[in-house]
Amino acid sequence: RFRARLEVEVPDGLPRVMGIQEELGQVVLQLILNAVQAISEGNVEANHVRVRLEAVEAEVRLSVEDSGEGIEAGKIRVRIQVEAIKDVP
């Protein structure tokens, strides 16, 4: 069953992110799945999961926001430092 609309915001001109594509993809997927699980079934039009990328100085910030019940806004902040760089032949 569908629970929410997925909204994705990716502006043009973001700096390149170095890392292992599969591992970064797994992190993003897990964040989206966690957001979906926080939303009750039933009202797809009123519910959303928003994935946003933005440039902040020399970094790229990823945020995942949902309309579900959960931790009160401002009570948790997670920062993941990605330093894994795959050797390219």
Side-chain angles (χ1 to χ4, degrees), residues 39-71:
I39 298 172
S40 299
E41 291 182 21
N43 194 352
V44 174
E45 290 305 315
N47 294 323
H48 72 273
V49 173
R50 182 176 298 121
V51 179
R52 178 182 299 144
L53 291 172
E54 60 183 323
V56 179
E57 298 178 15
E59 299 179 346
V60 174
R61 179 178 296 159
L62 165 75
S63 60
V64 179
E65 173 187 303
D66 65 73
S67 59
E69 303 244 350
I71 299 169

Side-chain angles (χ1 to χ4, degrees), residues 6 21-39 49-51 62-66 78 80:
L6 177 62
Q21 183 175 350
E22 294 80 14
E23 290 180 7
L24 293 172
Q26 284 292 34
V27 169
V28 173
L29 177 61
Q30 191 59 53
L31 291 169
I32 293 170
L33 290 175
N34 289 349
V36 169
Q37 290 172 356
I39 298 172
V49 173
R50 182 176 298 121
V51 179
L62 165 75
S63 60
V64 179
E65 173 187 303
D66 65 73
V78 176
I80 300 170

Side-chain angles (χ1 to χ4, degrees), residues 5 7-8 11 16-19 21 23 25 27 32 39 41-43 46-47 55 58 64 73 75-77 87-88:
R5 293 171 287 111
E7 302 168 3
V8 180
R16 187 178 175 112
V17 174
M18 300 297 293
Q21 183 175 350
E23 290 180 7
V27 169
I32 293 170
I39 298 172
E41 291 182 21
N43 194 352
N47 294 323
V64 179
K75 295 290 185 181
I76 188 169
R77 182 177 207 109
D87 291 332
V88 179

